[in-house]
């Protein structure tokens, strides 16, 4: 009897042990797809673009907007700046697209979404745009060593000049490798129109080139001319992100006003537009309830002073700017035209002041068209105003003021242009909360660099002389 | 097959065998002749037994072949007596050493405590449930050395969790709770049905539980019926009532606004009704302000927010602008906790059972909150024959919960009262949150013209209109069969189950700040364990031995389905996912995991003096890569009862012990293969969006291995009146599976890795004493004390820091970079953040604008305590009993969001009063008011710059150093005073026991650095993110036995 039980037990045990480590497919994650779709990765990477542009902080720095109640951020108070979401999000998604289209093992499977070369090129163009946005805000950033996953958990910082060189080179080679007769799937920006991607790439190069005007005039000139001859956005063309009406795809400014009323038009911006009776005012601003007129909110007041101004006496961000389907402008032709005007004025391209004036006027027109307020008679009167009329003597100032208006709601670009040229003339918040008392000219690094990338971070900080918001980036001279 | 059938037939045949047996009766007394009530009588070698009744008499059925009765009683020497042919056996027990103190260890195996080679601490039922706590986790606080309660605010439903041997941020996890052998969650334990709790602390004790026991094991043994004991009924009823106890200290001198001047209402015929003309010139305040830097609360007539709602009695009326010192306290109600329990138990010759029903109804101090729990347990076993015993333990639990707890930063309640508020707000007015037209009012409106809530809803609206619900059904327990194959050899089989399903919902009704919203979730979490255990024991001369061989298959299946509306509700007031305006967000998750294990253990004893123990276990986990999913880990230990060699009156017991153990562990299911994330809310129109997840997975993952050395010394003196138990341990946690934070510029935020080595060492001390021990007066003291430190010896290649918590890493707002680090070569738990800039002498430095200068990235101290512990007193005088439990912590810091915002928004008492030159802080600095930053200017002189009070206090926003708060505390957590009636004298003979007691919880925070906060209740072990206030409870309890 006992012998039998022992045997039975031994047998059970042996059967049990024999198959112990085989669990079949039990541990395959069934909650997430295991098979990638580059089209869906593209869609995801493009979906992050408006968030990048919609950031409110630079809109405060350039005094497009100011907070009505909680004025700390308008006074440059404590804030966390982070590029982490961009690296982990769209940049990594695009890196995956490049990998999937490059590895012999996976490349063929991706052909249903477009040729491997085209997918790689577009991924690189979009990556370059993100890197460009980040380097202009932070200066030196992880670039050549970034996005390597397990191969490098300590990406070092590249000098901004190297990042610029890298982006120029990448955009050139990517744009030239595009076969515009093809298409790609998942492209919610240009609906698969590869020629638009090419123009987008060249347009980025153009704006970047002008940004070097103070730090490397030679390179600025050659890169600008090259970008222009390669073909940028043409008349009536803007890089526009279309928002859908559903909550997950609507304009972030609509969300910002859903339950709150934080954002008013800053008085310096409003007063400048009012001084020239700018027809874009009714688009950008709501009327103050009490007076039924457009009234800017003094910029960056202390909270008690801000509180003494009743909300009914100032203009909040215009209703048409914060509809669910209000588009986000990623890069607009008006900006390119103003850039060309400045380039012509500076002799970076031919045509001299006459060309500069033409580009300048075309820029104003393009912006009015973009915001839907173009009217020939009003336009003719506007450009004849002495404050607006082009003059070679203060060409940069005039161009920049109009660029400032044209770049409304694109804080990063407006902030970069202000840093580069010093226009418009801005007075910092009266009682700033930061330690140096001036408008920030840089974002400080996210705390993850300090915490997780200490040796690179420390080296970077000592090289820069401090990870502070008053340390200018390389091109800001 | 034929042989198998034969075996089966034999087993079944055994049913029929009638056993010869007889009855033995008698009286058990102490040396003075007093009957001992409840002494236990066990027939040696069987599971048959009984207890003595009120007269000390017993009646036990002794099966044929049994020769000896074992009689035991707490505090008396256990005595064995031969039955022989007698049928009446009277016995006198002598007081003395209880060497056979038994504890429940791994796999439910009861062992003599003195034979153990590792630390196990038993928590008595009477120590556990002093103040009728609502749950096991709270009840365990301070009751065992090295057991720390974390994250359990008394005002909420949250039970928190316990950490054994330190809050280990690296691998720290909840302990495994095992109820009668079945792994369950702590909330499944009904305290009224608990017989005893053993805390198995280190890997040596828990090795046999395998990889889930890295946080220790809490072994819970439920009450059971006894064989041959007749019917018994226990009834217990307790009611406790709690009220908000600790609140931050508020100021009551200034009301809402940013400016001390009242604003005058200015009538504007263009926008105001003509009837409002009369209001012209009336004082109003800045209603949009959610801070209290406004006018002085001096009784000046003004128009409160509620006077702007037309059609209400208050419309148009001015009231004095007056302080409301108790407004926050008035908001909270009296909470209650009603706990009723009834148990029926008993047993015959070959069976025993216990049926227990428990109902717990709780209401919090927050309005419109309720929790109802119903437990039903049936526990029984039945000897089918001498060969076979079957047992079943079936528990059903139903939980219903309602309530909007609203704590944390920005949440409606604490967000208002402790972060953003107008101090003069009148709670009674707030209570009428609904206007006549059905819309909702709030203290925070835009202006007289726009009386919709601006940034804050009325908290009553949130509590009454938006209350979420939760429903849970849980069925757990086991079915077991024991085959007594031969003398000393038995085989047990168990099927253990814990099946849980839940449903929840939450909503925003229309009219508040949130977009109308409805969310619901459903799911189930099921665990099955199939277990076989072969046991063999015996004695050969002076050597005793026992061996076990076991196998287990554990299977976990979870499903979770959750959906929420997007973009609002199409039909107002219809709360259904189908009513979503946009495509609803849906998540549909499953997980499946299986761990197969075989294990063996054994122990040898020599002459009641020397013991040797070993175990070995191998696990195969489905969650690990197939090539790496098998791992083996051993344990070995020895103990030496050196007191056996001595014979001293003073020195009654002494033992040294040592053990070495390893425990392997794995990872959750579905973490290995590379995937992409594609949640339902990332569609763009009909196009799906897919992303690379932020966590980098690892197909090369290995199992982790923890190695522990543990040594202990246990001594008792003076007839066991005084004793101590000292334990030292050191763990090396190698290849820990961590979701390591990596620089996101790598493309990933975290990576799953096997990390190098994290060591942990500590000491635990338990002191016990009985200062008084007489027939009428008994006083027992237990002191628990523990110290633990964890050092990061090594992380993964090239990485030197792991961020445990902080901005961007762990929920909760930290503003500008407070984070907690685990750094190579250091103890984990360093807080890094913004600190005052100081000179070489430690003086704070002040800039020319009068604000403190600061530096980023400074170490602000450690969150870890120096030591923790508890003190329990049990005093019995005649029929009275006093129980008191104190717990304490020395050192460690936590980050206080509440304090920061109370200062920032001008709510805190510190923002008013006199400055250091005798002026009013709130006055203009030019008039002698303001506050000076107490530090040195660049010229080395103390700053003489006075800042306006709001500028001064707002400078501390994000200045981490200012808000790191010492967590040292000493707290009288529980007290109970009870009386046991002599029911015989009362002539209530049918009642065996009648006990009444009054109880109190959170009675006194005897020491804390910052008043108004209870460091023992912080929601996380290193911060409170704006949590609810501490509450204090009083109540009474009545217990009856029939």
């Amino acid at each position: 009897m006992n012998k039998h039980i022992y045997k039975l037990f031994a047998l059970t045990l042996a059967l049990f042990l024999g198959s112990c480590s085989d669990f079949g497919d039990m541990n395959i994650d069934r909650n997430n797809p295991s098979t990638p779709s580059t089209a869906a990765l593209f869609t995801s990477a493009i979906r992050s673009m408006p968030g990048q542009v919609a950031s409110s902080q630079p809109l405060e720095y350039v005094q497009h907007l100011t907070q009505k109640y909680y004025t700390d951020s308008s006074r440059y108070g404590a804030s966390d700046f982070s590029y982490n979401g961009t690296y982990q999000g769209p940049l990594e998604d695009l890196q995956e697209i490049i990998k999937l289209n490059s590895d012999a093992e996976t490349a063929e499977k991706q052909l249903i979404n477009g040729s491997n070369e085209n997918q790689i090129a577009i991924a690189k163009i979009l990556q370059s745009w993100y890197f460009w946005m980040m380097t202009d805000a932070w200066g030196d950033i992880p670039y050549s060593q970034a996005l390597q996953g397990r191969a490098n958990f300590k990406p070092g910082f590249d000098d901004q000049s190297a990042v610029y060189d890298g982006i120029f080179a990448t955009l050139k080679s990517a744009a030239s490798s595009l076969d515009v007769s093809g298409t790609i799937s998942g492209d919610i920006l240009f609906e698969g129109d590869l020629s638009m991607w090419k123009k987008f790439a060249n347009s980025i190069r153009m704006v970047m080139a002008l940004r070097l005007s103070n730090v490397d005039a030679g390179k600025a000139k050659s890169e600008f001319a090259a970008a222009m001859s390669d073909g940028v956005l043409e008349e009536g063309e803007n890089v526009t992100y279309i928002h859908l009406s559903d909550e997950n795809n609507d304009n972030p400014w609509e969300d910002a006003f859903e339950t709150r009323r934080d954002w008013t038009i800053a008085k310096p911006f409003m007063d400048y537009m009012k001084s020239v009776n700018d027809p874009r005012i009714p688009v950008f601003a709501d009327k103050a309830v009490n007076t039924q007129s457009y009234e800017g909110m003094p910029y960056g007041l202390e909270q008690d002073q801000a509180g003494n101004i009743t909300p009914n006496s100032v203009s909040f961000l215009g209703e048409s700017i914060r509809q669910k389907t209000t588009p986000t402008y990623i890069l607009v032709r008006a900006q390119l035209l103003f850039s060309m005007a400045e380039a012509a004025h500076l002799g970076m391209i031919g045509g001299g002041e006459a060309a500069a004036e033409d580009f300048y006027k075309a820029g104003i027109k393009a912006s009015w068209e973009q915001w839907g307020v173009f009217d020939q008679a009003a336009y003719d009167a506007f450009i004849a105003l002495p404050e607006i009329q082009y003059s070679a003597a203060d060409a940069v100032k005039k161009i920049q003021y109009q660029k400032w208006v044209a770049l409304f709601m694109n804080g990063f670009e407006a902030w970069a242009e202000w840093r580069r040229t010093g226009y418009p003339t801005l007075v910092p918040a009266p009682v700033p909360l930061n330690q140096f008392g001036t408008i920030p000219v840089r974002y400080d690094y996210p705390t993850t660099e300090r915490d997780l990338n200490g040796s690179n971070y420390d080296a970077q900080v000592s090289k820069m002389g401090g990870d502070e918001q008053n340390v200018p980036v390389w091109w800001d001279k | 097959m034929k042989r198998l059938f034969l075996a089966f037939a034999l087993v079944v045949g055994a049913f029929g065998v009638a056993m010869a047996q007889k009855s033995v009766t008698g009286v058990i007394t102490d040396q003075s002749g007093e009957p001992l009530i409840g002494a236990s009588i066990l027939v040696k070698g069987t599971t048959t037994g009984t207890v003595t009744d009120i007269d000390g008499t017993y009646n036990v059925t002794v099966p044929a072949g049994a020769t000896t009765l074992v009689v035991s009683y707490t505090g008396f020497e256990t005595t064995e007596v031969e039955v022989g042919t007698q049928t009446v056996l009277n016995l006198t027990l002598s007081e003395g050493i209880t060497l056979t103190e038994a504890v429940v260890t791994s796999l439910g195996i009861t062992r003599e405590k003195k034979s153990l080679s590792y630390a196990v601490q038993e928590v008595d039922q009477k120590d556990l449930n002093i103040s009728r706590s609502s749950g096991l986790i709270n009840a365990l606080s301070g009751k065992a050395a090295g057991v720390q309660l974390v994250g359990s605010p008394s005002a909420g439903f949250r039970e928190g969790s316990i950490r054994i041997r330190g809050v280990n941020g690296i691998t720290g996890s909840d302990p495994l709770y095992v109820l009668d052998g079945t792994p369950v969650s702590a909330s499944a334990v009904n305290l009224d049905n608990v017989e005893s709790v053993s805390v198995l602390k280190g890997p040596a004790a828990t090795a046999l539980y395998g990889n889930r026991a890295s946080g220790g094991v809490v072994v819970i043994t439920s009450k059971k019926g006894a064989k041959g004991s007749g019917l018994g009924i226990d009834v217990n009823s307790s009611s406790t009532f709690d009220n908000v106890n600790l609140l931050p200290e508020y100021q009551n001198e200034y009301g809402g606004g940013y400016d001390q001047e009242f604003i005058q209402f200015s009538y504007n015929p263009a926008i105001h009704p003509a009837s409002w003309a009369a209001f012209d010139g009336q004082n109003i305040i800045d209603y949009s302000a959610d801070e209290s830097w406004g006018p002085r609360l001096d009784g000046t007539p003004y128009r409160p927010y509620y006077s702007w709602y037309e059609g209400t009695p208050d419309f148009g009326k001015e009231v004095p602008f007056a302080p409301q010192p108790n407004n926050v306290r008035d908001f909270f109600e009296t909470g209650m906790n009603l706990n009723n329990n009834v148990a029926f138990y008993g047993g015959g010759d070959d069976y025993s059972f216990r049926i227990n029903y428990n109902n717990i109804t709780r209401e919090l101090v927050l309005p419109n909150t309720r929790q109802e729990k119903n437990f039903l347990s049936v526990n029984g076993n039945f000897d089918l024959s001498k060969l076979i015993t079957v047992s079943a333990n079936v528990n059903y639990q139903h939980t219903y919960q309602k309530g909007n707890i609203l704590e944390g930063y920005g949440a409606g309640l604490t967000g208002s009262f402790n972060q953003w508020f107008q101090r003069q707000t009148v709670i009674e007015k707030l209570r009428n949150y609904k206007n006549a037209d059905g819309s909702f009012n709030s203290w925070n409106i835009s202006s007289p013209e726009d009386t919709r809530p601006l940034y804050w809803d009325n908290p009553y609206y949130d509590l009454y209109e938006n209350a979420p619900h939760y429903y849970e059904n849980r069925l757990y327990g086991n079915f077991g069969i024991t085959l007594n194959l031969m003398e000393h050899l038995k085989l047990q089989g168990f099927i253990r189950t814990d099946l849980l399903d839940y449903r929840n919902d939450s909503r925003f009704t229309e009219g508040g700040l949130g977009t109308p919203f409805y969310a619901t979730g459903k799911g189930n979490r099921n665990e099955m364990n199939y277990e076989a255990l072969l046991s063999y024991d015996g004695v050969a001369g002076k050597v005793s031995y026992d061996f076990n061989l076991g196998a287990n298959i554990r299977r976990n299946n979870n499903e979770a389905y959750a959906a929420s509306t997007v973009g609002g509700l199409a039909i107002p007031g219809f709360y259904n996912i189908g009513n979503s305006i946009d495509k609803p967000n849906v998540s549909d998750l499953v997980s499946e995991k299986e761990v197969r294990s075989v294990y063996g253990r054994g122990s040898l004893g020599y002459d009641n003096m020397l013991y040797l123990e070993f175990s070995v276990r191998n696990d195969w986990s489905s969650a690990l890569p197939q090539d790496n999913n098998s791992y083996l880990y051993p344990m070995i230990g020895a103990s030496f009862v050196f007191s056996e060699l001595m014979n001293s009156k003073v020195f009654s017991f002494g033992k040294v012990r040592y053990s070495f153990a390893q425990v392997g562990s794995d990872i959750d299911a579905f973490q290995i293969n590379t995937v992409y994330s594609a949640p339902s809310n990332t569609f763009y129109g009909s196009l799906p969006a897919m992303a690379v997840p932020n966590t980098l997975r690892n197909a090369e993952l290995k199992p982790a291995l923890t190695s522990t050395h543990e040594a202990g010394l246990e001594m008792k003196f003076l007839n066991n009146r005084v004793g101590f138990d000292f334990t030292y341990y050191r763990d090396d946690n190698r290849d820990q599976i961590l979701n390591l934070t990596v620089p996101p510029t790598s493309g990933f935020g975290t990576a799953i890795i096997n990390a190098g080595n994290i060591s942990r060492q500590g000491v635990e001390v338990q002191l016990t004493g009985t200062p008084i021990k007489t027939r009428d007066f008994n006083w027992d003291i237990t002191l628990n004390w523990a110290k633990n430190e964890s050092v990061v010896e090594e992380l993964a290649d090239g990485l030197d820091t792991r961020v445990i918590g902080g901005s961007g890493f762990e929920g909760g707002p930290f503003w500008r970079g407070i984070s907690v680090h685990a750094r190579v070569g250091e103890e984990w738990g360093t807080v890094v953040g913004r600190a005052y800039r100081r000179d070489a002498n430690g003086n704070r430095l002040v800039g020319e604008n009068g604000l403190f200068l600061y530096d980023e990235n400074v170490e602000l101290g450690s969150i870890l305590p120096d030591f923790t512990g508890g003190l329990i007193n049990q005093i019995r005088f005649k029929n009275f009993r006093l129980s008191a439990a104190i717990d304490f912590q020395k050192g460690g810091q936590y980050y206080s969001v509440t304090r920061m915002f109370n200062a920032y928004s001008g709510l805190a008492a510190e923002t008013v009063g006199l400055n250091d030159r005798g002026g009013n802080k709130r006055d203009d600095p030019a008039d002698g008011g303001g506050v000076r930053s107490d530090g040195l200017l660049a010229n080395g002189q103390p700053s003489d710059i006075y800042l306006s009070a709001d500028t001064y206090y707002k400078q501390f926003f994000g200045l981490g150093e200012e808000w790191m708060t010492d967590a040292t505390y000493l707290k009288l957590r529980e007290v109970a005073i009870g009386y046991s009636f002599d029911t015989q004298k009362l002539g209530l003979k049918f009642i065996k026991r009648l006990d009444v007691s009054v109880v109190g919880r959170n009675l006194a925070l005897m020491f804390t650095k910052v008043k108004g906060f209870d460091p023992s209740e912080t929601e996380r072990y290193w911060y409170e993110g704006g949590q609810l206030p501490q509450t204090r409870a009083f109540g009474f309890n009545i217990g009856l036995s029939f």
Side-chain angles (χ1 to χ4, degrees), chain B residues 155-264:
Chain B
F157 287 126
R158 204 147 34 119
E159 274 216 57
S161 47
I162 61 173
R163 290 288 179 267
I164 296 175
R165 291 197 170 161
V167 176
N168 187 340
I170 311 287
T171 55
S173 56
D174 289 339
L176 178 68
Y177 296 91
V178 177
L179 173 66
D180 292 333
T182 305
V184 295
S185 90
S187 64
V189 176
N190 170 11
L191 277 177
D192 277 297
N193 202 27
V194 170
E195 178 68 37
S196 72
V197 169
S198 300
V199 181
L200 313 186
K201 295 171 184 172
T206 66
L208 273 183
Y209 281 107
N211 58 21
R212 282 199 296 178
S214 60
V217 180
V218 178
V219 178
I220 303 117
T221 307
S222 66
K223 288 180 180 166
K224 299 189 178 61
K227 278 179 189 160
S229 59
L231 178 70
I233 302 172
D234 280 349
V235 178
N236 198 86
S237 174
S238 71
S239 311
T240 60
F241 302 91
D242 48 347
N243 279 294
V244 161
N245 183 28
L246 296 179
L247 283 172
E249 294 182 356
Y250 300 117
Q251 61 89 5
N252 291 295
E253 295 176 34
Y254 294 87
Y258 302 111
D259 194 293
Q260 293 195 21
E261 297 297 321
F262 282 102
I263 303 165
Q264 274 72 43

Side-chain angles (χ1 to χ4, degrees), chain A residues 36-49 89-90 92-98 100-101 110 113-127 130 178 183-189 192 194 197 241, chain B residues 682 684 687-692:
Chain A
S37 151
T38 53
L41 287 164
F42 266 126
T43 304
S44 179
I46 295 170
R47 268 180 104 239
S48 298
M49 295 179 82
E92 178 61 30
D93 296 342
L94 294 163
Q95 193 72 12
E96 187 74 7
I97 294 171
I98 295 168
L100 290 166
N101 279 286
Q110 315 311 323
N113 293 321
S115 76
N116 295 140
E117 295 73 24
N118 281 343
Q119 290 193 52
I120 291 169
I122 286 171
K124 287 187 168 172
I125 291 169
L126 195 47
Q127 275 192 333
Y130 280 112
L178 269 181
T183 187
I184 56 159
S185 308
D187 174 13
I188 58 173
L189 192 63
L194 300 186
W197 281 101
Y241 182 93
Chain B
T682 60
Y684 182 90
L687 296 177
M690 174 184 272
V692 177

Side-chain angles (χ1 to χ4, degrees), chain B residues 290-313:
Chain B
D290 48 10
E291 301 181 30
S292 292
W293 304 103
R296 186 181 260 283
L297 293 164
D298 57 3
T300 304
Y302 88 116
R303 288 287 300 275
Y305 73 92
Y306 54 83
S307 74
W308 293 108
Y309 291 97
E310 298 225 39
T312 63

Side-chain angles (χ1 to χ4, degrees), chain B residues 124-152:
Chain B
D124 256 19
Q125 178 16 328
K126 69 176 193 299
D127 290 344
L128 191 66
N129 207 3
I130 293 173
S131 70
R132 311 294 305 165
S133 304
S134 54
L136 175 66
I137 286 172
N138 271 289
L140 275 174
S141 183
K143 306 289 169 55
V147 174
Q148 195 183 351
L149 174 71
V150 292
S152 181

